[in-house]
Amino acid sequence: MNTLFDKIWDQHVVQKIEDGPTQLYIDRLYCHEVTSPQAFADMRIRGLQCYRPEKIFCMPDHNTPTHDQDKSIEDPISRKQIDTLNQNTADFKLHNFKMNTADNGIIHVVGPEKGLSLPGMTIVCGDSHTSTHGAMGAVAFGIGTSEVEMVMASQCVLQQKPMSMRINVNGELNDSVTAKDVALYLMSKLTTSGATGYFVEYAGDVVKHLSMEGRLTLCNLSIEMGARGGFVAPDETTFEYLKGKEYAPKGEEWDKAMAYWKTLKSDDDAVFDKELNFDAADIEPRITYGTNPGMGIGISESIPQLTDIDESSSASFLKSLEYMGFEPGERLLGHPIDYVFLGACTNGRIEDFRAFASLVKGHQKAEHVTAWLVPGSWAVDKQIREEGLDKILEAAGFKIRQPGCSACLAMNDDKIPAGKYSVSTSNRNFEGRQGPGSRTILVSPLVAAAAAITGTITDPRKLA
């Protein structure tokens, strides 16, 4: 009667403190340049070394520029954070996938594509979107800086065990509907707090048929529903994706791993603390209209009227619309936009670039639109060029930038100016997330491509 979450969690329990947290063993710690400096500093103060350095992989990504990476970083704060990570990883003898090397990119893109994130693992990082790695069939979640230090020093972390939730999405997706649209739909239904306290297992026909890239996108956005994390039980899609990856098991070790991985599923009679069911037929391409990812609608729908909003939420609803420059009841189709961003740990993978290129092929970028197309890793960049997607994109007026977190958040040069509308494939649309005063509309790669061509919010089904 065990859920898969229970199985993985219980296998990693070192000890349980009565009426307190669980000491949980961690298989993989990822570190980037933003949340690790204080952890390293405290390790030095205490005279500690990393307990199992071979389990720790580091990479700069948030502050990485997406152009001229071979030159010195102009912003002093960004330069300092990346230089500090380089020094820390050298001092503590840790793996560091340095900027402007073939191994670099966004840590939540690189981990899976290198086979560092594997089924049955516990995976943590000082970053909320660590839930991405759950797509591999792992229990993956974000932790704070003090917890990063805890894992460095002991390879364990203290955590309260979350409750379990299963979300089933059954049926067949409509045309031009992607994993991103599924995630945005779920967030609009559950709200940004609807999964608080839970770890979510995604299941059903739709999830079963998603590619690994689609599953990574879906799990990436689990945190935006308030969940501690989200994951998909590993299956043949997972195994095929991992086979031959650089850090995945090889030979006899692969066979042993497969024998274990095939046991990683919830029992048929498993009982979840909460279970929800959704119909794929109800999902169309999605857009957000407010300042949290749960404020979303189908692209053909209108922003809710004030009478449709719970009275306790009406003030924040109106405040969000005022910030975005929208009105209750307004339809957003045809609304002019200024920027388009394809990338982030949400949609910076090869499948996302294939989708974008498939829609812009034979068209031209709207002249007034600034488009930033940012691969999630150098490996993705290489594949884009091997498949000739770069030629299709360049013919349509687009340029591919260098890998990094880019305009997902305002921590590097790629900032959206105040008042400008950004149609973005990233994961958050908070006030100022992409730059002070910027206005973010979250979308899938197909909706982003349609907007880049027309210069307005456009239903991609009209262009497909």
Side-chain angles (χ1 to χ4, degrees):
M1 294 178 60
N2 286 331
T3 69
L4 176 54
F5 175 74
D6 289 332
K7 293 178 182 180
I8 298 174
W9 182 278
D10 292 347
Q11 286 171 356
H12 289 80
V13 171
V14 177
Q15 63 176 325
K16 176 76 172 68
I17 300 171
E18 188 174 352
D19 298 323
T22 298
Q23 184 184 14
L24 196 70
Y25 180 79
I26 299 301
D27 294 304
R28 180 79 68 227
L29 169 64
Y30 292 119
C31 291
H32 57 64
E33 76 277 23
V34 179
T35 56
S36 66
Q38 191 59 53
F40 281 114
D42 287 349
M43 292 280 284
R44 283 193 180 88
I45 290 169
R46 299 168 65 191
L48 299 174
Q49 291 296 318
C50 293
Y51 181 59
R52 290 190 170 165
E54 73 279 5
K55 304 289 187 183
I56 303 172
F57 287 79
C58 307
M59 179 186 308
D61 54 13
H62 284 55
N63 290 278
T64 301
T66 61
H67 57 91
D68 297 330
Q69 285 188 6
D70 55 338
K71 297 180 181 178
S72 177
I73 300 173
E74 293 182 8
D75 180 71
I77 296 175
S78 294
R79 185 171 64 248
K80 176 68 171 176
Q81 289 195 324
I82 292 175
D83 289 347
T84 299
L85 180 66
N86 290 339
Q87 187 62 56
N88 284 330
T89 53
D91 291 348
F92 286 85
K93 298 179 175 57
L94 300 178
H95 300 275
N96 181 18
F97 296 150
K98 292 186 177 181
M99 190 181 76
N100 205 28
T101 67
D103 292 322
N104 185 250
I106 304 172
I107 205 159
H108 302 317
V109 174
V110 174
E113 74 182 9
K114 282 188 168 294
L116 284 165
S117 301
L118 298 172
M121 276 187 165
T122 49
I123 301 171
V124 297
C125 176
D127 187 285
S128 57
H129 292 105
T130 307
S131 56
T132 308
H133 305 266
M136 313 309 299
V139 169
F141 52 92
I143 56 176
T145 297
S146 61
E147 293 168 315
V148 171
E149 179 188 353
M150 192 184 300
V151 179
M152 286 179 178
S154 68
Q155 208 56 38
C156 294
V157 69
L158 295 176
Q159 290 284 297
Q160 294 283 356
K161 185 178 180 180
M163 295 179 289
S164 61
M165 177 190 292
R166 181 160 62 188
I167 295 179
N168 304 296
V169 187
N170 286 304
E172 187 175 342
L173 291 177
N174 295 309
D175 290 344
S176 300
V177 175
T178 70
K180 180 65 167 291
D181 299 301
V182 174
L184 290 172
Y185 175 81
L186 294 176
M187 284 186 277
S188 72
K189 294 300 181 183
L190 273 77
T191 75
T192 52
S193 61
T196 300
Y198 291 91
F199 218 95
V200 176
E201 177 175 348
Y202 297 102
D205 303 331
V206 166
V207 177
K208 180 181 178 181
H209 291 106
L210 284 179
S211 64
M212 280 311 303
E213 287 88 352
R215 295 177 185 185
L216 288 159
T217 295
L218 182 61
C219 291
N220 173 272
L221 288 156
S222 302
I223 190 71
E224 309 307 339
M225 299 186 298
R228 195 72 184 90
F231 68 102
V232 177
D235 57 15
E236 291 302 323
T237 299
T238 321
F239 309 147
E240 187 62 32
Y241 176 87
L242 285 170
K243 196 169 187 178
K245 297 290 187 189
E246 183 178 352
Y247 287 90
K250 305 291 192 302
E252 190 175 315
E253 291 302 311
W254 173 264
D255 295 334
K256 289 180 182 177
M258 281 287 289
Y260 167 57
W261 293 345
K262 287 182 177 180
T263 70
L264 295 176
K265 56 185 178 180
S266 292
D267 296 336
D268 291 340
D269 55 355
V271 177
F272 292 81
D273 294 300
K274 191 171 187 178
E275 188 155 12
L276 299 173
N277 296 287
F278 297 95
D279 189 344
D282 296 333
I283 309 173
E284 68 169 338
R286 306 283 299 181
I287 54 174
T288 60
Y289 61 84
T291 54
N292 73 58
M295 299 178 76
I297 52 175
I299 197 164
S300 67
E301 297 174 343
S302 301
I303 295 172
Q305 296 283 358
L306 186 58
T307 52
D308 299 324
I309 303 299
D310 185 88
E311 189 175 347
S312 63
S313 303
S314 59
S316 61
F317 170 74
L318 291 174
K319 181 176 181 290
S320 289
L321 292 190
E322 182 181 6
Y323 180 86
M324 292 296 296
F326 298 147
E327 297 288 339
E330 182 179 352
R331 292 191 79 208
L332 296 184
L333 278 174
H335 192 286
I337 59 99
D338 307 292
Y339 283 74
V340 166
F341 171 48
L342 173 67
C345 60
T346 314
N347 286 119
R349 299 176 183 84
I350 186 62
E351 185 177 274
D352 304 310
F353 278 80
R354 289 174 185 152
F356 192 98
S358 72
L359 202 65
V360 303
K361 186 176 182 179
H363 297 279
Q364 281 292 307
K365 180 183 75 67
E367 190 172 344
H368 74 275
V369 170
T370 299
W372 291 331
L373 278 51
V374 187
S377 70
W378 282 104
V380 172
D381 179 87
K382 182 172 182 286
Q383 198 166 353
I384 288 169
R385 299 177 195 285
E386 287 175 348
E387 295 183 12
L389 301 180
D390 57 324
K391 299 293 191 294
I392 294 172
L393 295 168
E394 287 167 8
F398 299 92
K399 292 182 179 179
I400 299 170
R401 296 171 81 86
Q402 295 174 314
C405 288
S406 186
C408 177
L409 75 175
M411 292 187 70
N412 52 72
D413 294 341
D414 299 349
K415 296 180 179 68
I416 308 300
K420 298 297 184 181
Y421 286 97
S422 168
V423 169
S424 176
T425 66
S426 52
N427 41 51
R428 286 180 174 160
N429 55 344
F430 304 155
E431 291 188 18
R433 170 74 176 184
Q434 293 190 288
S438 60
R439 294 164 162 171
T440 301
I441 299 165
L442 299 178
V443 299
S444 73
L446 289 175
V447 176
I453 294 166
T454 63
T456 66
I457 295 173
T458 301
D459 190 331
R461 293 170 293 190
K462 303 297 184 184
L463 298 174

